[in-house]
Amino acid sequence: MPSPPRDSVGLFRNRSVRLGALLFLLALETCFVLSYEVKLRVVNIVERGHELVRDDPKNPSMNDTFYATKAASIHLHVLGPNEVCQLHVHRNNDEATLVVEGLAHVTTRFGRDGQAASLDEVYPAGTLIALPALCAHRWHNVTPGAYHNNLVFSRPAFTFNDFVKPDDPTLLRASPPSIVDLPERLSEFLKTDKAAELGPLPALGGTLFTLFVRDAYVVAAQGKEPVSFYVVQGEGEIDAGTRAALAPGDLAMMTHGAGARLRAQPGKALAGLLFYPER
C-alpha cells in the first residue's frame, strides 16, 4: 500500500495530538473533581452520649470513636456519676478535651522551673482543657447525680491511659495545660463587628482553632484527614454539596474536599472548635 500524502500524515498526527490532549484534560478534570469531592458526616455528640447511657446504664465509663488514624483521632468519653479517671499521662500524644456536658473536677500535674506544680479546678461545659504529652491529669465527674460527656481531640491518635503517681519524676518534664473558656471567648467576639474569626489555640501542635461565625465562613479541607467542626453554641447550617443543619453538640466531619460553607442563623452566632489534623 502506498504511503499517504504528507499533508494527510500531518493532519492525522495533529488530530491524534489533539485527541490525546483532550483525553489528558478530561482525566485531569476527573482527578480534580474526585480529589475535591466533599464527604460530610454530622453526629450530635450530646445525643450519642445519652444513647450510650441508655444502652448500658450501669457502665461507669464508655467511649465512642468517630475517627482514628495514625495522625489524629476524635472520641467521646462518657463518665458515670461521681466516677473518677485516676491520674494518668499520655506519653506519645497531645490531648485536648472539651467538657461537653456536666461538671469536671480536673487535677493536673506538670513541671515549672524544675519544680512540681499543679492545677485543681472544677470546669463547666464549654471549657477546653488542652493537655500536652506527659501532663498528668485526674478527671472526676462532679455533675450531681448524672453522667457527663467529654469530646477528646488527640494528635497523634489517642492510644491509652498510662497511670502514674503524683510524685513521678517524669512529670517535671511536662508543660502546663491551657484552659480555654469558649462561651467567654464568644462573648468577646460578639462585641466586635466581625463576620467570622478564626483563632489558633495552644493545643495539638497548632492544629486546633476556635471559630466564631456571625455570618458565613468557608472551611477548606486538607489532605486525607477529616477536618472537623464542633458546635459549642449557636445554630446554622453547613453546605458541603449537601446541606445539614447545625446545632449545639454537632460534630461535622469533612473529608477530601474544599469549599464547605458554614452559615450562622441571624442572631445565633456559631461558636466552636475547628480541627485541622494536617495543618
Side-chain angles (χ1 to χ4, degrees):
M1 179 179 294
S3 301
R6 183 174 298 177
D7 288 347
S8 299
V9 172
L11 180 62
F12 177 80
R13 286 175 178 171
N14 286 340
R15 286 178 176 173
S16 297
V17 169
R18 289 175 183 175
L19 179 60
L22 178 61
L23 291 174
F24 173 79
L25 290 174
L26 287 173
L28 184 63
E29 181 180 2
T30 301
C31 290
F32 181 83
V33 170
L34 291 176
S35 296
Y36 286 86
E37 178 189 0
V38 179
K39 298 178 182 178
L40 175 67
R41 178 189 178 202
V42 179
V43 179
N44 190 276
I45 300 302
V46 175
E47 292 176 0
R48 180 58 183 145
H50 294 175
E51 185 180 70
L52 290 174
V53 173
R54 287 195 301 269
D55 291 345
D56 195 0
K58 294 184 179 180
N59 194 335
S61 179
M62 292 168 281
N63 295 279
D64 191 10
T65 299
F66 303 105
Y67 82 84
T69 67
K70 290 182 179 180
S73 64
I74 300 179
H75 74 272
L76 169 67
H77 185 201
V78 182
L79 207 57
N82 204 37
E83 194 66 26
V84 176
C85 184
Q86 297 294 349
L87 192 71
H88 64 279
V89 300
H90 306 294
R91 298 187 184 276
N92 300 312
N93 65 278
D94 295 338
E95 174 187 299
T97 298
L98 179 71
V99 182
V100 170
E101 200 174 33
L103 296 170
H105 179 193
V106 182
T107 304
T108 57
R109 296 188 68 83
F110 48 92
R112 179 179 287 156
D113 299 327
Q115 302 295 318
S118 66
L119 289 176
D120 190 69
E121 298 286 347
V122 174
Y123 300 108
T127 307
L128 180 77
I129 298 98
L131 299 153
L134 297 182
C135 181
H137 44 289
R138 177 184 184 271
W139 206 279
H140 181 194
N141 175 17
V142 292
T143 313
Y147 281 77
H148 98 125
N149 300 327
N150 304 299
L151 188 62
V152 183
F153 300 83
S154 297
R155 187 175 181 266
F158 184 92
T159 50
F160 58 90
N161 295 338
D162 190 349
F163 294 96
V164 295
K165 295 181 179 179
D167 59 354
D168 188 320
T170 304
L171 307 185
L172 296 177
R173 297 192 281 114
S175 299
S178 297
I179 312 299
V180 180
D181 185 331
L182 287 168
E184 181 181 17
R185 289 205 177 186
L186 174 62
S187 297
E188 293 299 316
F189 167 74
L190 292 176
K191 294 176 184 177
T192 73
D193 59 358
K194 298 177 181 177
E197 180 180 272
L198 183 69
L201 289 170
L204 307 185
T207 62
L208 191 64
F209 301 78
T210 55
L211 177 59
F212 305 115
V213 181
R214 180 186 272 112
D215 184 10
Y217 183 85
V218 174
V219 178
Q222 296 181 2
K224 296 181 179 180
E225 292 294 322
V227 174
S228 303
F229 178 65
Y230 177 77
V231 182
V232 176
Q233 285 186 223
E235 296 179 19
E237 71 170 17
I238 183 168
D239 185 352
T242 57
R243 293 185 178 183
L246 291 178
D250 280 341
L251 175 67
M253 293 167 282
M254 297 151 276
T255 55
H256 310 295
R261 179 178 292 272
L262 295 173
R263 186 174 294 279
Q265 288 190 13
K268 297 182 179 179
L270 289 168
L273 295 171
L274 186 63
F275 185 32
Y276 277 107
E278 293 181 295
R279 196 176 179 95

